[in-house]
Amino acid sequence: MARQKDKLKSKSEGAKGSVESSSSDEEGQPTNDEGVVTPEETTEPTEDDGLDESSKLEQFETKMKEAIDLATQKAAAGRVKALESINNGFLKRYCPDFVENQKMTICDLVDKSLKKGKGGEVEAAAKLSILLALQLPDSEEVYKELKGLMVQIVTDESASPAARAALATSLGGLCFLGGGDISEVVDTMSILEGIFSASFSKPEWSLPAFPPEIQALHYSCLSAWSLLLTLQSSGEVYSMANSTINKLQGLLLSNDVDIRIAAGEAIALVLEFAYDHDEDYEPEGFDALIDTIKELATDSNKSRSKKDRKEQRHIFRDILRGVEEGDPPAEKIKFGQEVLVLDYWYKKTQYDCFSKVLGSGTNNHLSTNYMLREVFELGAPLPSFDVNAASKLTKTQRHAANALAFKARTQARGKKRDKRMVV
């Protein structure tokens, strides 16, 4: 069977009722009829404002500090709006020096919202946790502070499925950025698999039935699991390839299109690593797997929406080439004057997870964010986007450069990780 002969490059080298009125600390802030104190929008000033970059940054930081203060108010609706305002600010601007000074304050906000909040507040806090990590040169402290509480909620079946899904995405991202030792990665993957495994097919291929919100939770857990899989070495993935593919194959029969696609891409990812370790490897039940993927790549099932069928067919054609021939995806993401080439399944998995978190801010962060550019091996930002291009590197940026170089060597992103043992 013909397969891609070139080995994966070393990823260390190349390559989601009324309340009481506000306190005196909130005087002078806009309020609504329910006593909710709302932050001003942390939108970026436009070119027409006539402000220089220093003035824009000062204005941005002032609004962010106001939002951080308002995230502690008594009104739950006001806290949610404040958290969302902070999130929007972090999506629009990369500001590591400002965040370094506010790190533990924001981390404390997330912790309190996760403990006391409900529904939308937990979702907003979960998103803030991963956006906070993306702003920092080293997010291990944030991960350690929040991991226990996040695991507690994400595994709590009485909690809101939407909140659990948001936390699963953030837990995976936080572990990826600041999890440290590979044993921490494996442990988090096991927690996530313990949730989405409920969607595995049962004996005699009977499919479990879940409401849409639970399927969305399982999809988020599977996506986060796949992100963390990209941190393992080819040898580590190869050793568990047969059992993993056998379990994931059952998800290809799910009635949820997102789960089917995520499972297919996870299988392609596992095989990318396995083929890299042994180019002659062939998983157990390979012919049956190919038949299933071919059916999904040509699916004409009228019980599924036309949109779902079109999306599924497009993606599974790529998955089929990856599984059958070992071919990588071939996507190009253009941002500014640069292009990010997603020429490996592990790169596509990482991009899909972080673009889900960053949304409309993805291109901006690809251009400016040191951490994200390290993940995708883009090097230092171009001068026009470098937050320090007009001045000497700050202490935070010097630390960022050193920390990122260290993480590239120690966070298990290359084949040299074969020497490490999975705990």
Side-chain angles (χ1 to χ4, degrees), residues 33-333:
D33 294 337
E34 296 180 354
V36 174
V37 186
T38 57
E40 294 183 37
E41 287 296 320
T42 55
T43 52
E44 288 286 275
T46 64
E47 295 297 329
D48 296 336
D49 291 331
L51 299 175
D52 59 23
E53 183 59 29
S54 178
S55 298
K56 289 180 182 180
L57 180 59
E58 183 179 353
Q59 186 179 101
F60 171 83
E61 291 182 355
T62 298
K63 291 181 178 180
M64 288 293 284
K65 288 177 181 178
E66 290 173 356
I68 290 171
D69 289 340
L70 292 175
T72 63
Q73 65 181 285
K74 294 180 179 179
R79 293 197 302 272
V80 173
K81 289 183 179 179
L83 291 170
E84 290 174 345
S85 184
I86 300 169
N87 287 340
N88 289 335
F90 285 161
L91 289 175
K92 292 170 182 176
R93 181 181 276 267
Y94 174 58
C95 45
D97 289 328
F98 169 76
V99 176
E100 185 67 34
N101 294 327
Q102 300 287 335
K103 175 175 63 176
M104 297 316 297
T105 300
I106 297 172
C107 195
D108 188 53
L109 287 179
V110 173
D111 182 84
K112 289 179 179 178
S113 290
L114 294 181
K115 286 179 178 176
K116 300 179 180 180
K118 296 180 180 179
E121 184 174 355
V122 175
E123 293 174 45
K127 184 168 186 176
L128 178 54
S129 68
I130 183 62
L131 292 177
L132 170 62
L134 280 168
Q135 293 278 345
L136 296 168
D138 186 350
S139 56
E140 186 172 0
E141 187 176 4
V142 174
Y143 172 73
K144 288 181 177 180
E145 284 287 325
L146 298 175
K147 180 198 172 183
L149 183 56
M150 296 178 83
V151 170
Q152 177 185 331
I153 300 173
V154 81
T155 56
D156 182 0
E157 295 184 1
S158 66
S160 157
R164 293 173 68 196
L167 281 164
T169 297
S170 294
L171 177 62
L174 274 175
C175 185
F176 180 91
L177 296 170
D181 192 80
I182 194 67
S183 63
E184 209 38 63
V185 173
V186 173
D187 179 58
T188 303
M189 289 177 68
S190 179
I191 292 168
L192 293 166
E193 183 177 344
I195 299 171
F196 74 77
S197 62
S199 279
F200 289 159
S201 58
K202 306 305 179 185
E204 300 180 358
W205 293 92
S206 61
L207 291 173
F210 293 104
E213 60 270 20
I214 296 298
Q215 291 180 324
L217 167 62
H218 292 175
Y219 163 73
S220 294
C221 289
L222 176 55
S223 297
W225 178 92
S226 295
L227 173 65
L228 295 180
L229 185 71
T230 68
L231 290 177
Q232 297 205 36
S233 70
S234 297
E236 290 162 349
V237 178
Y238 173 82
S239 67
M240 62 181 189
N242 279 328
S243 60
T244 301
I245 292 171
N246 185 53
K247 290 184 287 189
L248 292 173
Q249 189 172 351
L251 296 180
L252 297 176
L253 304 177
S254 171
N255 59 9
D256 181 83
V257 64
D258 290 331
I259 291 180
R260 292 196 300 272
I261 290 173
E265 292 183 329
I267 291 172
L269 176 64
V270 169
L271 286 173
E272 179 174 75
F273 281 100
Y275 293 158
D276 179 56
H277 184 79
D278 178 3
E279 64 183 26
D280 295 321
Y281 169 74
E282 184 172 292
E284 297 174 358
F286 185 70
D287 291 339
L289 175 62
I290 292 297
D291 289 342
T292 301
I293 294 176
K294 282 182 177 178
E295 288 179 12
L296 292 168
T298 57
D299 191 6
S300 59
N301 190 331
K302 299 299 182 181
S303 65
R304 294 169 182 160
S305 71
K306 184 176 180 181
K307 178 182 177 182
D308 284 355
R309 294 199 307 271
K310 182 178 180 181
E311 179 184 15
Q312 176 181 290
R313 288 196 297 263
H314 171 72
I315 295 175
F316 270 93
R317 284 195 289 268
D318 287 342
I319 292 172
L320 179 61
R321 288 191 291 269
V323 171
E324 191 171 31
E325 303 295 336
D327 290 343
E331 294 185 26
K332 293 183 179 180
I333 308 299

